[in-house]
Amino acid sequence: TGAFTGVTTFNVTGAAAAVTLKAGDTTAVSVSNSSTTALTTVDGGLTQTVTAGAAVTASNSIGAVKVTSASGAVTVSDGTTQTISAAGAVVSSGATGAVAVTNTSKTASTDVDDGTTVSVTANTTGTITVGAATAPTGAVTIANSIAGSKTAATNTTGSTISVTGGTTITVTN
């Protein structure tokens, strides 16, 4: 815990435990947390770049947000653009610009509200929902594929995909 006045860039690297960081509007935040179990939380900042081994919560950025998580849920709210790469449930909201989500989890859901253009690339049987609370204002593109063959023993079915809003909607499932 500490107070940093006038900091324009704040980097946290090599952390292997929970990280909680609150930054001012003029601070660019970069966090790299190698823990595969601990939550990384970033609140505020001019921009946010987070790479983590586990769950991430990023909120209140006034600029671009980029989150990469090897496992665990990712929740991002606010920011101009959001670029999310995850292997767990994704919840995205509050973006004023483009939202791009890549989710490699086989079963986790992806939920996106707000944004202009929205792109979701997934490989899941989980739900994909865009615009449930607040619809995007631009094009929506969803590409979802299920790897593996369908047999009686491994009855693999596609996701439930729901889109509200958007100017052009393209879904490949």
Side-chain angles (χ1 to χ4, degrees), residues 104 106 122-125 144-150 154 156-157:
T104 60
K106 301 272 189 241
N123 181 16
T124 186
T125 58
N144 185 42
S145 61
I146 305 299
S149 60
K150 184 175 182 176
T154 60
T156 305
T157 59

Side-chain angles (χ1 to χ4, degrees), residues 8-26:
T8 57
T9 303
F10 196 94
N11 297 312
V12 176
T13 59
V19 173
T20 301
L21 178 64
K22 182 166 179 61
D25 289 347
T26 59

